[in-house]
Amino acid sequence: NHAALTYDGSVFKIYLNGNLENSITVNRTPQSASIQHAALGSALNSSGSPAGYFNGSLDEARIWNNARSQASIQATMSQQLNSPQTGMVARWGLNEAC
């Protein structure tokens, strides 16, 4: 399965296998001064302590600095992106042992 979450400063959208699964209007500006930690495969609280784990596998995790459209998600969701892409700020291929 492929999951993607986007936020454009107004609406959170979650896509599953390239299809819009749900959305919610928030209308809040993202905060660059957040103390919230980021993680792959784990939920972290504000102090950085684990608060849950993902029971599954991850592959080709990416972070973008823009809210990607459904068409752009669908176009690359099954591809390994080895070269820099416009708007991509982080990528973890998670295939180092392959």
Side-chain angles (χ1 to χ4, degrees):
N1 291 309
H2 178 273
L5 173 72
T6 66
Y7 184 63
D8 63 4
S10 178
V11 180
F12 272 113
K13 294 180 182 178
I14 187 162
Y15 296 88
L16 185 59
N17 297 321
N19 299 307
L20 182 63
E21 188 75 13
N22 207 342
S23 65
I24 186 170
T25 301
V26 179
N27 287 324
R28 300 275 183 182
T29 303
Q31 296 294 313
S32 61
S34 174
I35 61 169
Q36 191 60 44
H37 299 266
L40 295 175
S42 178
L44 302 178
N45 63 25
S46 295
S47 67
S49 298
Y53 298 96
F54 176 67
N55 185 15
S57 300
L58 293 176
D59 186 37
E60 194 70 27
R62 308 167 189 163
I63 297 176
W64 304 79
N65 66 4
N66 56 4
R68 302 186 77 223
S69 68
Q70 183 173 6
S72 63
I73 291 168
Q74 290 172 338
T76 61
M77 69 183 195
S78 298
Q79 297 178 1
Q80 182 173 315
L81 302 178
N82 293 320
S83 59
Q85 305 287 309
T86 302
M88 186 189 301
V89 296
R91 175 196 168 269
W92 297 268
L94 303 174
N95 57 1
E96 287 78 4
C98 294

